[in-house]
Amino acid sequence: MNIAAVILAAGLGTRMRSRLPKALHPIAARPMLQHILSAATEVFDRAVVVIGPEMPALQRAADPHPVVVQTERLGTGHAALQAAPLLEAFAGDVAVLYADNPLITPETLRRLAAARVGAGLALVAMRPADPGRYGRVLTNAAGEVERVVEWADATAEERAIGLCNAGVICAPAASLFRWLRAIRNDNAKGEYYLTDIVALARQAGERVVVIEAPEAELRGINSRVELAAAEAAVQARLRLAAMEGGATLIQPDSVTFAFDTRLGQDVKIGPNVVFGPDVVVEDGVEIRAFSHLEGCIVRAGAIIGPFARLRPGTRIEPGGHVGNFVELKATVLGAGAKANHLSYLGDAEIGAGANIGAGTITCNYDGVNKHRTEIGAGAFIGSDTALVAPVRVGARALVAAGSVITEDVPDDAMAIARGRQANKAGRGFRGKGVKA
């Protein structure tokens, strides 16, 4: 099948009350535009994104797909026409999709493409619980589409129709752009409606067919409220997939996933755990309550949390333990190693079986550059130790509690780096007005 997609993403998102272009607002830690591009690229051979002027961040989000700019926002038909220089000579079909309609699935897009075969135009419709201000799809006795009428232009009888237009259409490239050029803007809003090509296709004697898809896939997102509803729908889908894949979620509704979270079997996830992008969790891991993971790998059998934070570049090897109020960034925690309490480990390599005492920190930043800390296998770092990078603590070495380590510690050595304690008799509070 030779088919391309035009994705309309020029909307400002005025109702979002945001400086961020609407298509960049995230769902499950991924911009809406990238959700629809992901679905489209599973079905279509190529995609062109239509953006508004001065939207460099949106252009970057569309990469590597080509972008065209709609300099004036004159309606959806006008926006789709901007892709003509790239696709008008395309020898195949073109579908028009929307960046603010990011939940449509590849399966629905495949059904749309298949429906177009044998018809001049195919479109997607739904039957929402509240039809509201959606455009209505008018069909004939044979079930073919006669026309689509926008809510603002519809009669009371037409507004009573339950079949609503989702705006997604598919037609041969040459026909699509010919019809787009013929659209007029003599309507209530003075805009060029993409849906007017339905009437033009009928006038040309073409069959226009419709497929129906669930409202949950086709909801438009124009406000923060609708964005939150879409986030909830995606999270429900991701939680279900996680549990069906063999993970246990103690309190499913409290767990937040990213679009690309990957979980192994027999993973146990406690309440209020948050996954940012690019997290891989292998079999048999336990992630306890209120932990936050992003850009990290957790190998089999590890235990994380509660209240742990794993930042990008972190890898927890099999059987590693990361406890409460411990933060790791760009750090490898070796197999069976433990950091169980109140520590920051940044830019570090920690060997297998090492033990990191409570309150330990790696001082990895000197104000200009980041430096690494190496801790050997089986080393023991006493509580409240500061490791001033770059520094290496050898295998099986012992660092005494309260030390500030600024020099390398050899294998099997003990390091003590703290001021000597001195007790001064009679210098306490007795005799200074403090009762015994």
Side-chain angles (χ1 to χ4, degrees):
M1 187 179 297
N2 202 22
I3 187 167
V6 175
I7 298 174
L8 307 187
L12 291 172
T14 304
R15 287 169 57 193
M16 292 279 192
R17 296 184 179 273
S18 174
R19 293 184 177 88
L20 191 69
K22 180 165 62 171
L24 286 182
H25 283 266
I27 298 172
R30 177 164 63 173
M32 287 194 282
L33 174 61
Q34 292 180 356
H35 277 278
I36 191 68
L37 279 171
S38 177
T41 52
E42 286 193 34
V43 179
F44 304 135
D45 302 301
R46 57 190 295 197
V48 175
V49 180
V50 181
I51 67 173
E54 299 181 2
M55 290 183 166
L58 198 56
Q59 184 167 353
R60 290 191 296 272
D63 189 68
H65 304 283
V67 164
V68 294
V69 178
Q70 183 189 21
T71 54
E72 294 181 274
R73 293 177 174 84
L74 302 178
T76 52
H78 178 263
L81 186 59
Q82 306 313 300
L86 297 181
L87 292 175
E88 194 163 22
F90 182 67
D93 288 355
V94 173
V96 180
L97 315 176
Y98 301 83
D100 62 359
N101 182 198
L103 305 187
I104 193 167
T105 63
E107 290 73 22
T108 294
L109 296 178
R110 290 188 187 97
R111 288 174 53 220
L112 173 67
R116 212 295 301 163
V117 178
L121 176 67
L123 57 90
V124 181
M126 59 182 170
R127 297 184 184 274
D130 178 11
R133 302 177 71 87
Y134 285 110
R136 303 306 202 264
V137 179
L138 282 60
T139 58
N140 59 24
E144 296 177 357
V145 179
E146 291 287 347
R147 66 191 181 99
V148 174
V149 58
E150 295 296 328
W151 185 90
D153 302 304
T155 65
E157 183 180 16
E158 289 167 340
R159 291 177 182 177
I161 294 171
L163 188 62
C164 295
N165 177 41
V168 177
I169 60 96
C170 184
S175 300
L176 174 65
F177 291 109
R178 182 173 67 253
W179 294 330
L180 287 173
R181 287 193 173 91
I183 290 174
R184 299 169 60 89
N185 67 341
D186 49 354
N187 52 61
K189 290 186 177 180
E191 293 184 355
Y192 297 91
Y193 293 146
L194 175 65
T195 49
D196 284 353
I197 69 170
V198 172
L200 294 170
R202 294 290 295 170
Q203 290 171 16
E206 298 285 0
R207 289 180 64 239
V208 180
V209 297
V210 59
I211 66 164
E212 293 188 35
E215 178 188 5
E217 283 188 33
L218 302 173
R219 65 179 78 204
I221 299 173
N222 298 294
S223 69
R224 305 275 185 169
V225 173
E226 291 170 346
L227 183 68
E231 179 74 38
V234 170
Q235 290 299 329
R237 186 188 303 172
L238 293 171
R239 291 165 189 150
L240 179 62
M243 291 184 285
E244 289 180 342
T248 294
L249 277 59
I250 302 301
Q251 197 178 87
D253 288 350
S254 72
V255 177
T256 301
F257 288 109
F259 70 98
D260 60 350
T261 305
R262 288 182 285 165
L263 303 179
Q265 293 183 338
D266 297 312
V267 172
K268 184 177 179 181
I269 301 174
N272 297 292
V273 172
V274 176
F275 294 90
D278 194 25
V279 174
V280 176
V281 178
E282 294 186 348
D283 295 350
V285 168
E286 181 178 0
I287 302 175
R288 295 172 176 167
F290 291 97
S291 294
H292 189 287
L293 295 81
E294 180 178 358
C296 62
I297 299 172
V298 184
R299 301 292 189 197
I303 298 175
I304 308 299
F307 294 97
R309 184 182 182 194
L310 305 187
R311 292 171 57 193
T314 291
R315 185 172 77 247
I316 309 301
E317 296 292 0
H321 288 197
V322 178
N324 49 285
F325 304 104
V326 176
E327 177 181 350
L328 287 82
K329 189 273 293 185
T331 289
V332 177
L333 187 71
K338 298 178 181 180
N340 280 332
H341 320 279
L342 302 157
S343 294
Y344 169 70
L345 304 171
D347 299 287
E349 184 92 23
I350 299 166
N355 188 88
I356 309 299
T360 295
I361 61 171
T362 58
C363 307
N364 56 324
Y365 184 48
D366 63 8
V368 178
N369 298 307
K370 298 288 181 71
H371 303 282
R372 293 195 67 79
T373 297
E374 295 182 29
I375 299 173
F380 185 97
I381 309 299
S383 297
D384 201 27
T385 292
L387 300 160
V388 182
V391 71
R392 179 184 182 276
V393 176
R396 302 169 303 279
L398 170 63
V399 175
S403 293
V404 177
I405 301 299
T406 60
E407 298 178 2
D408 290 353
V409 180
D411 294 352
D412 301 301
M414 180 175 72
I416 304 173
R418 60 190 181 210
R420 182 180 296 275
Q421 180 172 323
N423 297 329
K424 306 295 185 180
R427 298 287 184 91
F429 284 110
R430 180 183 286 276
K432 294 184 173 64
V434 179
K435 293 182 180 179

